[in-house]
Amino acid sequence: PKSTAARGELTVLNHLTFPAHGFLTPGRRFTVLAKYSNATVTDDLAPDIRGVALRLFEPGTEGPHGGLGELMMSAGECSFNRTAATFRGYLAGGRERDAVFENAPHLHQALWDVIRAPVPYADYAYYSQAPLCLAAADGTMWLVRFRLLGSDRHPDPGVYDPGGRRYPPDPPEYLPRDCGDNRPATFLHDELRARLAGPGVDHLLQLQLHPATGTPADEIALDSSLRWPGECEWHDVARLRLTAEADQALADGRPALNPANAPEGLGIALA
């Protein structure tokens, strides 16, 4: 399978440690459709980018269209695709690709950081990577990143060691699985579906805030390839409980990516 869809509930915690926001109010509940997937490979045991997309609905209103918003996240805290020029240079290959990393050496680590060895989908930590903009109820403006911690709350599971490789292979080639791993190619999806049919899947949603100051510091904070400083701590937001497999068609609807459908006070940060 290319992806596995799950259904459950997201419950905002009663005690929050970040500025009040009209969408993320204490105790609020959302129906959630979650879709877990690999980015490129059909063999779950091959290293790859792992991702999850969450679509939020008012309870009882879920469907293939509409929704209150969508949050797309990938394993790995940062993304090397910080600008369109970076992406274009990487796709060009050859000397243009090399120049991307010569001009910004830290991008090489960010490139490999999103490639993850196979661990259960429910155990990865997923990050929104690109900052959004959050307007708090008190009028203060913030840049915000989200992460979804797995069942063991580890912030960085499935780290992959590329060895001497400079770049991941270009599609349709892909990184090979470990030669001694004889599990089926659908193992991660099978394992996730078994959890959904049994004890269920639990995640913790967190957010990280960075002040939006209107100064050049904002440009640095908007760079998706850079981690924010330690004083930008992670705050617990909500618990996600997934208890059943969902109809794939419901999870595949994507209208909530339209910025006009973003919740009030939470939207795209324009660089």
Side-chain angles (χ1 to χ4, degrees), residues 14-70:
N14 289 321
H15 177 65
L16 302 175
T17 58
F18 55 89
H21 186 269
F23 187 70
L24 300 170
T25 55
R28 186 175 184 182
R29 296 176 182 270
F30 302 91
T31 295
V32 173
L33 295 175
K35 183 171 69 173
Y36 298 84
S37 61
N38 305 320
T40 60
V41 301
T42 56
D43 181 359
D44 289 352
L45 282 309
D48 197 18
I49 299 172
R50 318 291 181 179
V52 64
L54 304 180
R55 298 185 64 215
L56 306 182
F57 302 85
E58 291 287 3
T61 66
E62 67 272 17
H65 305 291
L68 299 172
E70 179 170 319

Side-chain angles (χ1 to χ4, degrees), residues 2 7 25 28-29 32 44 65 67 87 92 99 108 118 125 138 145 149 164 170 183 210 220 231 242 248-249 258 263:
K2 293 183 179 179
R7 180 195 305 274
T25 55
R28 186 175 184 182
R29 296 176 182 270
V32 173
D44 289 352
H65 305 291
F87 185 59
H108 196 259
D138 62 5
R145 283 171 165 168
L149 293 182
D170 293 323
R183 294 174 294 178
H210 188 290
I220 298 173
E231 57 265 27
L242 301 171
Q248 197 69 40
N258 184 339

Side-chain angles (χ1 to χ4, degrees), residues 103-168:
N103 294 332
H106 77 280
L107 293 181
H108 196 259
Q109 179 178 347
L111 170 69
W112 283 106
D113 190 47
V114 298
I115 305 293
R116 294 284 146 164
V119 302
Y121 283 119
D123 292 348
Y124 287 112
Y126 300 96
Y127 293 80
S128 61
Q129 299 177 340
L132 299 172
C133 186
L134 182 145
D138 62 5
T140 55
M141 299 295 295
W142 303 84
L143 300 176
V144 60
R145 283 171 165 168
F146 291 91
R147 75 176 176 185
L148 193 68
L149 293 182
S151 54
D152 63 358
R153 305 294 188 254
H154 193 293
D156 205 29
V159 173
Y160 174 70
D161 181 2
R165 292 181 180 270
R166 190 171 189 182
Y167 305 124

Side-chain angles (χ1 to χ4, degrees), residues 69-72 253-262 268:
E70 179 170 319
L71 189 58
M72 301 181 69
R254 299 289 290 278
L257 286 176
N258 184 339
N261 292 337
I268 294 174

